[in-house]
Protein backbone atom coordinates (compact mmCIF):
# COMPACT_ATOMS: atom_id res chain seq x y z
CA UNK A 1 0.00 0.00 0.00
CA UNK A 2 1.26 3.48 -0.92
CA UNK A 3 -0.06 6.69 0.64
CA UNK A 4 0.19 9.84 -1.44
CA UNK A 5 1.44 12.84 0.53
CA UNK A 6 2.41 10.71 3.53
CA UNK A 7 4.47 13.54 5.03
CA UNK A 8 1.30 15.65 5.38
CA UNK A 9 -0.47 12.84 7.24
CA UNK A 10 2.51 12.67 9.60
CA UNK A 11 2.56 16.41 10.31
CA UNK A 12 -1.22 16.29 10.70
CA UNK A 13 -0.83 13.80 13.55
CA UNK A 14 1.87 15.99 15.14
CA UNK A 15 -0.52 18.94 14.87
CA UNK A 16 -3.22 16.83 16.58
CA UNK A 17 -0.76 15.96 19.37
CA UNK A 18 -0.13 19.68 19.84
CA UNK A 19 -3.87 20.36 20.06
CA UNK A 20 -4.14 17.76 22.83
CA UNK A 21 -1.00 19.21 24.46
CA UNK A 22 -2.60 22.65 24.70
CA UNK A 23 -5.95 21.38 25.91
CA UNK A 24 -4.13 19.64 28.76
CA UNK A 25 -1.99 22.61 29.76
CA UNK A 26 -4.74 25.23 29.36
CA UNK A 27 -7.14 23.47 31.70
CA UNK A 28 -5.52 24.70 34.91
CA UNK A 29 -5.73 28.41 34.11
CA UNK A 30 -9.30 28.20 32.85
CA UNK A 31 -10.58 26.27 35.90
CA UNK A 32 -8.34 27.99 38.46
CA UNK A 33 -10.94 30.42 39.90
CA UNK A 34 -13.03 27.43 41.07
CA UNK A 35 -10.16 25.00 41.70
CA UNK A 36 -8.50 27.50 44.01
CA UNK A 37 -11.64 27.67 46.14
CA UNK A 38 -11.87 23.89 46.45
CA UNK A 39 -8.18 23.50 47.27
CA UNK A 40 -7.83 26.66 49.36
CA UNK A 41 -5.10 28.16 47.15
CA UNK A 42 -4.12 31.76 46.34
CA UNK A 43 -2.78 33.60 43.29
CA UNK A 44 0.73 33.22 44.73
CA UNK A 45 0.13 29.46 44.83
CA UNK A 46 -0.89 29.66 41.17
CA UNK A 47 2.36 31.44 40.28
CA UNK A 48 4.31 28.77 42.20
CA UNK A 49 2.47 25.88 40.53
CA UNK A 50 2.92 27.22 36.98
CA UNK A 51 6.59 27.88 37.67
CA UNK A 52 7.00 24.25 38.72
CA UNK A 53 5.51 23.38 35.34
CA UNK A 54 7.81 25.83 33.57
CA UNK A 55 10.96 24.63 35.38
CA UNK A 56 10.31 21.00 34.50
CA UNK A 57 9.25 22.12 31.01
CA UNK A 58 12.61 23.85 30.63
CA UNK A 59 14.49 20.75 31.74
CA UNK A 60 12.23 18.57 29.62
CA UNK A 61 13.06 20.51 26.43
CA UNK A 62 16.76 19.72 26.75
CA UNK A 63 16.27 16.15 28.00
CA UNK A 64 13.70 15.28 25.35
CA UNK A 65 15.81 16.85 22.60
CA UNK A 66 18.60 14.39 23.43
CA UNK A 67 16.10 11.54 23.80
CA UNK A 68 14.51 12.22 20.41
CA UNK A 69 17.95 12.33 18.77
CA UNK A 70 18.69 8.97 20.43
CA UNK A 71 15.46 6.98 19.98
CA UNK A 72 13.90 8.83 17.03
CA UNK A 73 10.65 10.72 16.64
CA UNK A 74 8.37 7.66 16.54
CA UNK A 75 9.21 6.37 20.03
CA UNK A 76 9.97 9.88 21.33
CA UNK A 77 6.43 11.06 20.71
CA UNK A 78 4.96 7.92 22.25
CA UNK A 79 6.94 8.50 25.45
CA UNK A 80 6.05 12.20 25.59
CA UNK A 81 2.33 11.92 25.07
CA UNK A 82 1.94 8.83 27.28
CA UNK A 83 3.48 10.55 30.29
CA UNK A 84 1.77 13.92 29.82
CA UNK A 85 -1.58 12.18 29.46
CA UNK A 86 -0.85 10.23 32.65
CA UNK A 87 0.04 13.50 34.40
CA UNK A 88 -3.27 15.03 33.34
CA UNK A 89 -5.22 12.08 34.75
CA UNK A 90 -3.27 12.32 38.02
CA UNK A 91 -4.66 15.84 38.60
CA UNK A 92 -7.80 14.04 39.79
CA UNK A 93 -5.90 13.25 43.00
CA UNK A 94 -4.63 16.80 43.73
CA UNK A 95 -5.22 17.81 47.37
CA UNK A 96 -3.26 21.07 47.60
CA UNK A 97 -0.36 23.12 46.23
CA UNK A 98 2.25 20.38 46.82
CA UNK A 99 0.46 17.53 45.03
CA UNK A 100 -0.75 19.86 42.29
CA UNK A 101 2.83 21.08 41.80
CA UNK A 102 4.08 17.48 41.45
CA UNK A 103 1.47 16.65 38.81
CA UNK A 104 2.14 19.89 36.91
CA UNK A 105 5.85 19.11 37.08
CA UNK A 106 5.33 15.73 35.42
CA UNK A 107 3.08 17.38 32.85
CA UNK A 108 5.77 19.96 32.08
CA UNK A 109 8.67 17.56 31.57
CA UNK A 110 6.56 15.30 29.34
CA UNK A 111 4.84 18.02 27.28
CA UNK A 112 8.18 19.64 26.53
CA UNK A 113 9.10 16.83 24.14
CA UNK A 114 6.44 17.88 21.67
CA UNK A 115 8.53 20.82 20.40
CA UNK A 116 12.03 19.43 19.77
CA UNK A 117 10.26 16.32 18.52
CA UNK A 118 8.29 18.32 15.95
CA UNK A 119 11.37 20.23 14.73
CA UNK A 120 13.24 16.95 14.31
CA UNK A 121 10.23 15.33 12.64
CA UNK A 122 10.02 18.17 10.13
CA UNK A 123 13.74 17.90 9.34
CA UNK A 124 13.21 14.20 8.56
CA UNK A 125 9.98 14.46 6.59
CA UNK A 126 10.19 17.78 4.73
CA UNK A 127 12.55 19.48 2.27
CA UNK A 128 14.00 22.85 3.30
CA UNK A 129 11.47 24.95 1.40
CA UNK A 130 8.51 23.23 3.12
CA UNK A 131 9.80 23.12 6.70
CA UNK A 132 8.44 26.49 7.81
CA UNK A 133 5.06 25.50 6.40
CA UNK A 134 5.24 22.19 8.26
CA UNK A 135 6.28 24.03 11.42
CA UNK A 136 3.39 26.42 10.87
CA UNK A 137 0.93 23.52 10.66
CA UNK A 138 2.41 22.03 13.82
CA UNK A 139 2.32 25.36 15.65
CA UNK A 140 -1.24 25.94 14.48
CA UNK A 141 -2.05 23.05 16.80
CA UNK A 142 -1.17 25.30 19.74
CA UNK A 143 -3.69 27.85 18.54
CA UNK A 144 -6.36 25.28 17.71
CA UNK A 145 -5.82 23.54 21.04
CA UNK A 146 -6.26 26.80 22.91
CA UNK A 147 -9.33 27.71 20.84
CA UNK A 148 -10.93 24.35 21.57
CA UNK A 149 -9.73 24.24 25.18
CA UNK A 150 -11.45 27.33 26.54
CA UNK A 151 -15.10 26.56 25.68
CA UNK A 152 -14.66 22.78 25.89
CA UNK A 153 -13.11 22.84 29.35
CA UNK A 154 -15.68 25.36 30.51
CA UNK A 155 -18.47 22.99 29.39
CA UNK A 156 -16.78 19.88 30.83
CA UNK A 157 -16.24 21.72 34.10
CA UNK A 158 -19.91 22.69 34.22
CA UNK A 159 -20.98 19.09 33.60
CA UNK A 160 -18.41 17.05 35.54
CA UNK A 161 -16.30 19.38 37.73
CA UNK A 162 -12.58 19.97 37.47
CA UNK A 163 -11.41 16.54 38.66
CA UNK A 164 -13.14 14.48 35.96
CA UNK A 165 -12.32 17.12 33.35
CA UNK A 166 -8.60 16.41 33.82
CA UNK A 167 -9.26 12.66 33.42
CA UNK A 168 -11.28 13.11 30.21
CA UNK A 169 -8.69 15.28 28.47
CA UNK A 170 -5.92 12.92 29.61
CA UNK A 171 -7.57 9.98 27.87
CA UNK A 172 -7.37 11.84 24.54
CA UNK A 173 -3.58 11.52 24.55
CA UNK A 174 -3.63 7.78 25.11
CA UNK A 175 -5.94 7.40 22.11
CA UNK A 176 -3.60 9.46 19.89
CA UNK A 177 -0.80 6.89 20.25
CA UNK A 178 -2.75 4.32 18.20
CA UNK A 179 -2.84 6.12 14.81
CA UNK A 180 0.69 7.44 15.37
CA UNK A 181 2.15 3.93 15.64
CA UNK A 182 0.15 2.83 12.60
CA UNK A 183 1.17 5.74 10.32
CA UNK A 184 4.74 6.47 11.42
CA UNK A 185 6.28 3.07 10.78
CA UNK A 186 9.78 4.19 9.70
CA UNK A 187 11.74 7.20 8.39
CA UNK A 188 10.94 8.38 4.84
CA UNK A 189 13.75 6.40 3.14
CA UNK A 190 12.49 3.10 4.58
CA UNK A 191 8.75 3.67 5.03
CA UNK A 192 6.78 0.97 3.16
CA UNK A 193 3.87 3.30 2.41
CA UNK A 194 5.80 6.24 0.87
CA UNK A 195 5.82 6.73 -2.90
CA UNK A 196 9.14 6.95 -4.73
CA UNK A 197 8.19 10.42 -5.92
CA UNK A 198 7.65 11.71 -2.38
CA UNK A 199 10.80 10.01 -1.09
CA UNK A 200 12.87 11.72 -3.80
CA UNK A 201 11.15 15.05 -3.12
CA UNK A 202 12.05 14.88 0.58
CA UNK A 203 15.67 13.74 0.24
CA UNK A 204 16.58 15.91 -2.76
CA UNK A 205 15.05 18.92 -1.01
CA UNK A 206 17.61 18.79 1.79
CA UNK A 207 20.80 20.84 1.60
CA UNK A 208 23.40 18.94 -0.40
CA UNK A 209 25.53 18.49 2.72
CA UNK A 210 22.52 16.90 4.48
CA UNK A 211 21.55 14.31 1.87
CA UNK A 212 22.78 11.45 4.07
CA UNK A 213 21.51 12.76 7.42
CA UNK A 214 20.36 9.29 8.43
CA UNK A 215 23.97 8.07 8.76
CA UNK A 216 25.62 11.25 10.07
CA UNK A 217 26.70 11.07 13.70
CA UNK A 218 25.04 13.52 16.08
CA UNK A 219 27.03 16.33 17.69
CA UNK A 220 27.70 16.74 21.40
CA UNK A 221 26.18 19.64 23.32
CA UNK A 222 29.63 21.22 23.60
CA UNK A 223 30.14 21.04 19.84
CA UNK A 224 26.75 22.61 19.21
CA UNK A 225 27.39 25.43 21.69
CA UNK A 226 30.82 26.13 20.20
CA UNK A 227 29.10 27.95 17.33
CA UNK A 228 27.67 31.44 17.75
CA UNK A 229 24.84 30.56 15.37
CA UNK A 230 23.51 28.20 18.03
CA UNK A 231 23.59 31.04 20.54
CA UNK A 232 21.66 33.23 18.11
CA UNK A 233 18.85 30.70 18.11
CA UNK A 234 19.03 30.23 21.89
CA UNK A 235 18.98 34.00 22.57
CA UNK A 236 16.05 34.52 20.21
CA UNK A 237 14.08 31.84 22.05
CA UNK A 238 15.01 33.40 25.42
CA UNK A 239 13.63 36.79 24.42
CA UNK A 240 10.51 35.80 22.48
CA UNK A 241 9.07 32.93 24.56
CA UNK A 242 7.53 35.05 27.41
CA UNK A 243 5.32 36.84 24.87
CA UNK A 244 3.36 33.66 24.25
CA UNK A 245 3.42 32.25 27.75
CA UNK A 246 2.26 35.38 29.52
CA UNK A 247 -1.07 35.08 27.73
CA UNK A 248 -1.29 31.29 28.07
CA UNK A 249 -0.72 31.42 31.83
CA UNK A 250 -2.11 34.80 32.81
CA UNK A 251 -4.86 35.82 30.36
CA UNK A 252 -7.56 33.84 32.24
CA UNK A 253 -6.37 35.40 35.52
CA UNK A 254 -6.33 38.86 33.87
CA UNK A 255 -9.92 38.44 32.68
CA UNK A 256 -10.91 37.25 36.15
CA UNK A 257 -9.24 40.18 37.94
CA UNK A 258 -9.84 43.05 35.50
CA UNK A 259 -13.35 42.19 34.32
CA UNK A 260 -14.61 39.93 37.15
CA UNK A 261 -15.12 36.96 34.81
CA UNK A 262 -16.22 33.54 36.04
CA UNK A 263 -15.04 30.22 34.53
CA UNK A 264 -17.69 30.18 31.78
CA UNK A 265 -17.06 33.81 30.80
CA UNK A 266 -13.32 33.12 30.64
CA UNK A 267 -14.07 30.15 28.38
CA UNK A 268 -16.21 32.26 26.06
CA UNK A 269 -13.56 34.99 25.63
CA UNK A 270 -10.15 33.33 26.09
CA UNK A 271 -10.33 31.19 22.94
CA UNK A 272 -10.50 34.07 20.47
CA UNK A 273 -6.85 35.27 20.55
CA UNK A 274 -5.71 31.77 19.63
CA UNK A 275 -7.51 32.06 16.32
CA UNK A 276 -4.91 34.74 15.60
CA UNK A 277 -2.18 32.32 16.71
CA UNK A 278 -3.46 29.61 14.38
CA UNK A 279 -3.67 31.97 11.40
CA UNK A 280 -0.23 33.42 12.22
CA UNK A 281 1.34 29.95 12.30
CA UNK A 282 0.04 29.07 8.86
CA UNK A 283 0.69 32.53 7.44
CA UNK A 284 4.30 32.61 8.70
CA UNK A 285 5.02 29.21 7.22
CA UNK A 286 3.32 30.05 3.93
CA UNK A 287 5.08 33.42 3.63
CA UNK A 288 8.54 31.97 4.29
CA UNK A 289 7.90 29.16 1.81
CA UNK A 290 6.87 31.73 -0.80
CA UNK A 291 10.00 33.83 -0.18
CA UNK A 292 12.35 30.83 -0.34
CA UNK A 293 11.24 30.12 -3.91
CA UNK A 294 12.97 33.33 -5.06
CA UNK A 295 15.38 34.17 -2.21
CA UNK A 296 17.88 32.56 0.14
CA UNK A 297 16.76 30.73 3.28
CA UNK A 298 18.60 33.37 5.33
CA UNK A 299 16.72 36.32 3.78
CA UNK A 300 13.37 34.51 3.92
CA UNK A 301 13.61 33.43 7.57
CA UNK A 302 14.91 36.79 8.82
CA UNK A 303 12.34 38.86 6.93
CA UNK A 304 9.46 36.74 8.22
CA UNK A 305 10.75 36.87 11.80
CA UNK A 306 11.10 40.67 11.59
CA UNK A 307 7.59 41.23 10.26
CA UNK A 308 6.14 39.14 13.07
CA UNK A 309 8.06 41.12 15.70
CA UNK A 310 6.80 44.44 14.30
CA UNK A 311 3.21 43.18 14.49
CA UNK A 312 3.77 42.11 18.12
CA UNK A 313 5.07 45.52 19.18
CA UNK A 314 2.29 47.49 17.48
CA UNK A 315 -0.42 45.24 18.94
CA UNK A 316 0.98 45.43 22.49
CA UNK A 317 1.06 49.23 22.26
CA UNK A 318 -2.59 49.09 21.22
CA UNK A 319 -3.41 46.82 24.16
CA UNK A 320 -1.77 49.23 26.61
CA UNK A 321 -3.58 52.36 25.43
CA UNK A 322 -6.85 51.19 23.87
CA UNK A 323 -7.97 47.89 25.47
CA UNK A 324 -10.55 49.20 27.94
CA UNK A 325 -13.12 46.45 27.32
CA UNK A 326 -12.84 42.65 27.23
CA UNK A 327 -13.56 42.58 23.48
CA UNK A 328 -10.86 45.14 22.70
CA UNK A 329 -8.38 43.34 24.93
CA UNK A 330 -8.80 39.91 23.34
CA UNK A 331 -8.75 41.54 19.88
CA UNK A 332 -5.32 43.06 20.51
CA UNK A 333 -4.09 39.79 21.97
CA UNK A 334 -5.37 38.13 18.77
CA UNK A 335 -2.93 40.33 16.83
CA UNK A 336 -0.08 39.79 19.31
CA UNK A 337 -0.37 36.02 19.04
CA UNK A 338 -0.67 36.24 15.24
CA UNK A 339 2.66 38.10 15.15
CA UNK A 340 4.26 35.73 17.63
CA UNK A 341 3.38 32.61 15.66
CA UNK A 342 4.28 34.32 12.37
CA UNK A 343 7.82 34.69 13.76
CA UNK A 344 8.23 31.61 15.92
CA UNK A 345 7.42 29.15 13.14
CA UNK A 346 10.61 30.32 11.45
CA UNK A 347 12.71 30.71 14.60
CA UNK A 348 11.90 27.12 15.57
CA UNK A 349 12.89 25.94 12.09
CA UNK A 350 16.42 27.37 12.36
CA UNK A 351 17.93 24.27 14.10
CA UNK A 352 17.06 22.17 11.04
CA UNK A 353 18.62 24.84 8.80
CA UNK A 354 21.87 24.83 10.78
CA UNK A 355 22.48 21.21 11.85
CA UNK A 356 22.16 17.64 10.61
CA UNK A 357 19.18 15.48 11.56
CA UNK A 358 20.75 13.73 14.55
CA UNK A 359 21.62 17.07 16.19
CA UNK A 360 18.48 19.05 15.40
CA UNK A 361 16.53 17.81 18.43
CA UNK A 362 19.35 18.72 20.81
CA UNK A 363 19.63 22.33 19.58
CA UNK A 364 15.85 22.73 19.46
CA UNK A 365 15.67 21.39 23.01
CA UNK A 366 18.41 23.72 24.23
CA UNK A 367 16.61 26.70 22.71
CA UNK A 368 13.36 25.65 24.32
CA UNK A 369 14.99 25.12 27.71
CA UNK A 370 16.63 28.55 27.76
CA UNK A 371 13.41 30.09 26.48
CA UNK A 372 11.57 28.52 29.39
CA UNK A 373 14.04 30.14 31.82
CA UNK A 374 12.86 33.59 30.71
CA UNK A 375 9.26 32.44 31.17
CA UNK A 376 10.08 31.39 34.74
CA UNK A 377 11.53 34.84 35.39
CA UNK A 378 8.44 36.48 33.91
CA UNK A 379 6.07 34.32 35.96
CA UNK A 380 7.95 35.33 39.10
CA UNK A 381 7.72 39.01 38.15
CA UNK A 382 4.03 39.11 37.21
CA UNK A 383 2.54 39.14 40.75
CA UNK A 384 5.14 41.75 41.74
CA UNK A 385 4.83 44.21 38.84
CA UNK A 386 1.07 43.93 38.22
CA UNK A 387 -0.29 44.99 41.60
CA UNK A 388 -1.72 48.17 40.03
CA UNK A 389 -2.03 47.17 36.37
CA UNK A 390 -0.60 44.84 33.73
CA UNK A 391 0.99 47.72 31.79
CA UNK A 392 4.54 47.07 33.11
CA UNK A 393 4.29 43.46 31.93
CA UNK A 394 3.09 44.53 28.49
CA UNK A 395 5.95 47.04 28.18
CA UNK A 396 8.47 44.27 28.90
CA UNK A 397 6.93 42.12 26.16
CA UNK A 398 7.12 45.00 23.68
CA UNK A 399 10.87 45.26 24.36
CA UNK A 400 11.53 41.53 24.14
CA UNK A 401 10.27 41.13 20.55
CA UNK A 402 12.92 43.43 18.96
CA UNK A 403 15.62 41.80 21.13
CA UNK A 404 14.72 38.42 19.63
CA UNK A 405 15.14 39.83 16.12
CA UNK A 406 18.48 41.43 17.03
CA UNK A 407 19.70 38.07 18.35
CA UNK A 408 19.03 36.40 15.02
CA UNK A 409 20.65 39.16 12.97
CA UNK A 410 23.56 39.72 15.33
CA UNK A 411 24.64 36.13 16.00
CA UNK A 412 23.56 34.26 12.88
CA UNK A 413 25.44 35.88 10.01
CA UNK A 414 23.75 33.55 7.55
CA UNK A 415 21.13 30.87 8.17
CA UNK A 416 22.65 27.88 6.41
CA UNK A 417 24.20 24.50 7.35
CA UNK A 418 27.23 24.89 9.62
CA UNK A 419 30.14 22.53 10.13
CA UNK A 420 31.56 21.80 13.56
Amino acid sequence: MKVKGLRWWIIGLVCLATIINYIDRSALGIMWPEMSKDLGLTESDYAWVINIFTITYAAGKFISGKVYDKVGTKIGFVLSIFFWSLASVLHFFAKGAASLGIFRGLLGVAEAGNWPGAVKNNAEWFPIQERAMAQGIFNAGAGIGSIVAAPTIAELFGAYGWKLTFVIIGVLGFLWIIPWLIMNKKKPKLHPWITEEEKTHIVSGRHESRQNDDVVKGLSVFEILSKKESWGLIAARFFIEPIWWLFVFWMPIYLFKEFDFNVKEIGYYAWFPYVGAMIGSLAGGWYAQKLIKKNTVDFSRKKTITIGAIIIVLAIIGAIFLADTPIKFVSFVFIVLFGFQFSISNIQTIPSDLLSGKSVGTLAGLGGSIGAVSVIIMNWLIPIITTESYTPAFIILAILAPLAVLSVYGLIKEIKPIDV
Side-chain angles (χ1 to χ4, degrees), residues 45-68:
D45 292 320
Y46 178 75
W48 181 84
V49 168
I50 63 173
N51 257 350
I52 292 296
F53 172 91
T54 312
I55 290 167
T56 60
Y57 189 79
K61 284 285 185 75
F62 173 66
I63 294 168
S64 59
K66 294 295 290 183
V67 169
Y68 274 80

Side-chain angles (χ1 to χ4, degrees), residues 83-124:
F83 282 107
W84 92 53
S85 299
L86 176 62
S88 180
V89 171
L90 288 174
H91 281 60
F92 179 91
F93 301 100
K95 300 297 183 184
S99 56
L100 187 59
I102 292 171
F103 301 146
R104 296 307 287 183
L106 177 59
L107 185 73
V109 74
E111 284 200 335
N114 201 53
W115 271 256
V119 175
K120 182 176 177 63
N121 177 79
N122 293 344
E124 292 175 352

Side-chain angles (χ1 to χ4, degrees), residues 140-153:
I144 297 169
S146 299
I147 293 166
V148 172
T152 300
I153 290 170

